[in-house]
Amino acid sequence: MTAVPMVELTGVAKHYGSLEALCEVDLTVYEGETLCLIGPSGSGKSTLLRCINYLEDLTDGEVRVDGELMGYRDAPTAVHELKERAVCLQRSNIGMVFQSFNLFPHMTVLDNITLAPRMVTRTPKQEAEERARSLLEQVGLADKAKSYPAQLSGGQQQRVAIARALAMRPKLMLFDEPTSALDPELVGEVLNVMKALATDGMTMLVATHEMGFAREVSDRIVFMDAGRIVETGAPREVLENPQHDRTRAFLSALLPS
């Protein structure tokens, strides 16, 4: 079966003044693939994810998700930048989970999950709530629908954030260090939900420092440094036999022998 590209980055660059956050990045992620981005802080992992979702406009290059040019409309002789409402509709096909949970504190878990489907895609309330309850069961929080975020642990809040992203039925999930703000004992419960998504065939890009997760779940690992892709390959190849000096230095500091 021919692999179908879900994400295509071509010559993507992002500059903040003189700072080159991303430098001519080319990357293809295929439908159903789990790709983990690893690298030191400031290497460009988060910026890359935000550019895919067009939360950051590009300095150069282009991003396509499921064949659709993000942030722009193709025309025979040129491309035209989309208005914010059209970009929001594009983003509705992409779920993103951040380091911080970003749940609305004044709303119940159920309301947090149903808000976007009801507002963006005009999903009827009963249908949105039925899907929300199904997703809460999927992430192991079926009994928390009426709770408020402050009544939940960090791991529970992050699982709600994942359910909220899934409520829009996305084609693609982006995870930006989803466990970095959690106490160590809560990390596993979030990673288990992500493992289940990968098993179910969700296309996922995950920026992470969790090397065990990357080794076990990812189809490919991309090592980034200074806004560039330094090395890419199967998990065992990159983690056990890195080819680039910078990759070896990073892994030796992270995984001391």
Side-chain angles (χ1 to χ4, degrees):
M1 185 172 62
T2 304
V4 177
M6 177 59 71
V7 181
E8 298 170 277
L9 281 71
T10 306
V12 169
K14 176 61 182 177
H15 301 167
Y16 300 98
S18 61
L19 174 64
E20 296 182 328
L22 292 176
C23 308
E24 302 298 320
V25 172
D26 296 316
L27 179 66
T28 301
V29 183
Y30 296 95
E31 185 177 346
E33 185 176 25
T34 297
L35 186 144
C36 282
L37 302 169
I38 67 171
S41 298
S43 61
K45 304 185 301 295
S46 296
T47 303
L48 187 148
L49 294 179
R50 291 175 64 85
C51 285
I52 291 172
N53 213 7
Y54 210 70
L55 292 172
E56 299 280 357
D57 58 336
L58 308 183
T59 303
D60 198 6
E62 67 174 37
V63 174
R64 291 182 183 270
V65 174
D66 200 18
E68 185 175 5
L69 184 62
M70 291 297 295
Y72 295 87
R73 175 174 56 84
D74 280 316
T77 58
V79 292
H80 303 281
E81 190 166 8
L82 296 176
K83 295 186 181 299
E84 181 61 22
R85 178 172 176 78
V87 174
C88 287
L89 287 175
Q90 287 187 322
R91 289 193 193 115
S92 69
N93 292 313
I94 305 171
M96 188 158 185
V97 178
F98 299 88
Q99 297 178 26
S100 54
F101 322 125
N102 296 325
L103 301 176
F104 293 111
H106 64 288
M107 298 173 65
T108 66
V109 164
L110 190 67
D111 288 340
N112 264 282
I113 296 172
T114 59
L115 180 64
R118 293 179 62 190
M119 297 295 292
V120 177
T121 58
R122 305 299 181 188
T123 303
K125 180 179 180 181
Q126 181 176 347
E127 180 182 339
E129 289 188 352
E130 287 175 356
R131 175 155 176 78
R133 292 183 186 279
S134 175
L135 289 168
L136 284 172
E137 184 173 355
Q138 183 178 332
V139 301
L141 294 172
D143 60 335
K144 301 297 183 181
K146 294 183 179 180
S147 299
Y148 287 87
Q151 298 172 309
L152 306 179
S153 70
Q156 290 172 331
Q157 289 186 61
Q158 193 64 296
R159 284 187 280 159
V160 172
I162 294 172
R164 179 179 59 182
L166 292 172
M168 292 296 289
R169 303 181 187 275
K171 302 174 182 178
L172 168 69
M173 286 288 289
L174 308 176
F175 293 88
D176 185 8
E177 299 283 3
T179 60
S180 64
L182 300 178
D183 292 332
E185 64 268 21
L186 302 178
V187 169
E189 62 190 52
V190 174
L191 294 181
N192 286 337
V193 171
M194 295 169 63
K195 290 176 186 177
L197 289 177
T199 300
D200 289 342
M202 174 63 73
T203 309
M204 306 198 308
L205 274 81
V206 184
T208 184
H209 286 296
E210 299 288 342
M211 294 300 109
F213 174 85
R215 182 192 302 271
E216 179 183 352
V217 178
S218 66
D219 298 293
R220 275 190 297 156
I221 290 178
V222 168
F223 173 69
M224 296 187 66
D225 188 45
R228 292 177 168 83
I229 292 177
V230 175
E231 188 166 345
T232 182
R236 177 169 292 184
E237 294 172 358
V238 175
L239 296 179
E240 297 181 12
N241 188 31
Q243 300 301 300
H244 196 281
D245 289 344
R246 184 65 189 93
T247 314
R248 285 194 288 269
F250 171 77
L251 291 173
S252 65
L254 196 65
L255 302 169
S257 56

